[in-house]
Amino acid sequence: MTWQQWLTQAAARLRDSLSPSAKRDAEILLAQVTGATRTRLLAFGETPLTDAQCATLETLLARRERGEPVAYLIGEREFWSLRLRVSPDTLIPRPDTECLVQRSLALLPPARAEVLDLGTGSGAIALALASERPAWRITGVDRSPGAVALARDNAARLGLTNVQFHESDWFKALQAQRYSLIVSNPPYIEADDPHLAQGDVRFEPRSALVAGEDGLKDLAAICREAGPHLLPGGWLLLEHGWRQGPAVRALLAEAGFDHTATLRDYGDNERVSQGQRLPEGK
């Protein structure tokens, strides 16, 4: 079987399994197994597959037909132009989270700053910030040992030395260190949300997705506990669900934050809310 023949058959099978990106999924799997670029796959479609490659591709294709995310199948996902390793220990980084990175970069100057990423997962947010701001010192924490190990591996592979990762359940393992900016993409999905039974999220860690019956449990905890860990004038920046903007702004205001606002994502949905800890007496 040639590369082109396999692509045609694989795309047809994935379309039958209702994959939303059948052709692209097939190309990614074939590139992973052959080591060829997408351009080479298309230009040299007559290249024959070996028996070993066919067997590996069949295994991967069957898993994708069952709905397993492509990122888990190949062990990588691109975020902020960085190639990150991912695993079932972590969420798969999504493009809308780049909006949180963009806002973080806009809030603080490039000069030295201490930044904390809560629930870092694969390290996507922390590593994106580290790659853009060499003078910043960034700490990422996660309660999952597997996630912390993966984030450390990603940092080492990318050669980023201005970021470190530790195990912590939100702020619990942190000392008296205070930060100019705290960012987080915490769990924010409601326990009975029907989307939990659809698409990639079926395979992602539920503990990184669901936060209480209303989806606000972890967002509320972070808002309550962040103040003592922020320098005067420091910012808290939170990703949340597209309908949670008003609730998160209320949580920030209740916790004493000022200059609260919500920014929209690439789909024009409310996605990232911010609040500032004002200096004493202001």
Side-chain angles (χ1 to χ4, degrees):
M1 181 181 294
T2 66
W3 288 354
Q4 185 55 55
Q5 289 172 332
W6 187 88
L7 282 173
T8 300
Q9 294 181 22
R13 284 173 58 178
L14 291 176
R15 279 193 292 272
D16 290 341
S17 65
L18 303 181
S19 169
S21 52
K23 184 175 182 292
R24 182 63 179 141
D25 290 352
E27 291 171 351
I28 292 171
L29 295 181
L30 185 58
Q32 175 72 10
V33 172
T34 63
T37 64
R38 182 171 183 266
T39 300
R40 185 171 179 80
L41 292 178
L42 300 179
F44 297 93
E46 72 281 3
T47 305
L49 288 164
T50 67
D51 290 343
Q53 288 173 332
C54 285
T56 301
L57 284 165
E58 178 58 33
T59 298
L60 291 173
L61 185 59
R63 290 169 63 186
R64 182 57 185 150
E65 284 183 295
R66 293 193 293 271
E68 191 167 345
V70 170
Y72 288 163
L73 296 180
I74 68 172
E76 285 189 342
R77 183 62 173 261
E78 184 173 304
F79 180 83
W80 200 260
S81 77
L82 304 175
R83 297 296 299 181
L84 301 178
R85 287 183 179 171
V86 297
S87 80
D89 287 318
T90 67
L91 289 182
I92 299 167
R94 287 162 169 80
D96 283 333
T97 300
E98 293 186 353
C99 298
L100 188 150
V101 174
Q102 290 172 348
R103 185 56 182 163
S104 298
L105 297 173
L107 281 175
L108 297 183
R112 179 168 173 167
E114 298 283 346
V115 177
L116 174 65
D117 176 23
L118 291 170
T120 195
S122 63
I125 296 169
L127 294 167
L129 294 176
S131 71
E132 294 287 344
R133 295 290 187 263
W136 289 7
R137 295 200 308 181
I138 300 160
T139 300
V141 299
D142 201 290
R143 66 182 178 183
S144 165
V148 172
L150 185 64
R152 288 172 175 167
D153 179 66
N154 278 325
R157 289 175 60 247
L158 294 168
L160 295 170
T161 58
N162 59 327
V163 59
Q164 57 183 335
F165 297 100
H166 305 289
E167 288 182 41
S168 181
D169 185 359
W170 301 137
F171 298 100
K172 288 182 179 177
L174 299 176
Q175 303 301 317
Q177 174 69 50
R178 294 201 291 174
Y179 304 88
S180 298
L181 173 66
I182 297 175
V183 299
S184 184
N185 177 18
Y188 54 73
I189 298 178
E190 299 174 17
D192 61 353
D193 192 312
H195 293 95
L196 292 169
Q198 303 171 13
D200 289 355
V201 296
R202 291 174 294 165
F203 295 84
E204 294 180 280
R206 193 175 178 88
S207 61
L209 293 165
V210 177
E213 293 184 0
D214 62 0
L216 295 172
K217 179 181 178 182
D218 290 317
L219 287 160
I222 294 171
C223 288
R224 287 195 308 269
E225 298 171 19
H229 296 278
L230 279 169
L231 293 165
W235 291 91
L236 175 61
L237 203 56
L238 299 167
E239 181 173 336
H240 51 71
W242 67 279
R243 293 182 296 183
Q244 293 174 327
V248 176
R249 291 193 297 274
L251 289 170
L252 287 164
E254 183 179 345
F257 286 91
D258 207 338
H259 298 149
T260 60
T262 301
L263 296 90
R264 294 181 177 271
D265 61 21
Y266 299 132
D268 199 34
N269 298 305
E270 291 196 329
R271 184 63 62 187
V272 174
S273 288
Q274 66 183 41
Q276 185 179 33
R277 180 178 184 263
L278 293 183
E280 297 294 332
K282 292 189 176 182

